[in-house]
Amino acid sequence: MPLPKLTLLFRVEPGCLGPDGPQHIAPFCTLAMQLFPRLEPDRVQWQIVPRHDKRLDELEFHLTSRRLSEEQASQYLAQTGVSLPQLRERIDETLARLVERYLASLD
């Protein structure tokens, strides 16, 4: 029986879209939700939302209805053959490419 997917709540800073980021962050997150599910589709379920409150973590992990610490999420992902540091790197790379594409589409 396969393990349930880890839900990864990813909060994106409006500032990554420049000074007009707050007006673009909602459509950007909608676009990101079309691309990010391609990263580890068998292991991770994505939720991408704006990060309006900097006190909230950029990444939050859940399994079923239980919140996991980063260490617990790392251990869980390791059971499925995924390294959390490698996944973070892929998230950062994907976000950077998507920001570039999005900003280019505004010109």
Side-chain angles (χ1 to χ4, degrees):
M1 182 173 174
L3 294 172
K5 289 183 184 183
L6 180 74
T7 298
L8 197 155
L9 174 61
F10 178 27
R11 294 183 180 97
V12 180
E13 298 266 352
C16 75
L17 297 171
D20 295 330
Q23 74 186 42
H24 294 287
I25 194 65
F28 178 81
C29 288
T30 299
L31 177 65
M33 276 300 298
Q34 295 173 14
L35 183 61
F36 272 87
R38 297 177 191 162
L39 296 179
E40 300 301 337
D42 297 330
R43 297 172 180 95
V44 177
Q45 178 178 325
W46 295 88
Q47 294 179 352
I48 302 174
V49 298
R51 185 179 184 197
H52 296 296
D53 185 346
K54 292 187 183 218
R55 294 173 294 176
L56 298 174
D57 294 330
E58 181 182 41
L59 295 177
E60 193 173 295
F61 308 95
H62 297 265
L63 191 57
T64 55
S65 60
R66 189 173 140 231
R67 184 169 178 180
L68 301 180
S69 68
E70 187 169 329
E71 182 179 324
Q72 290 170 320
S74 182
Q75 291 172 356
Y76 184 81
L77 286 170
Q79 290 178 16
T80 68
V82 176
S83 154
L84 183 55
Q86 288 174 334
L87 181 59
R88 280 183 172 276
E89 189 174 311
R90 291 179 65 201
I91 289 169
D92 291 344
E93 291 169 357
T94 302
L95 180 63
R97 284 195 316 268
L98 190 56
V99 165
E100 287 176 18
R101 284 180 24 202
Y102 185 83
L103 293 176
S105 76
L106 297 177
D107 293 337

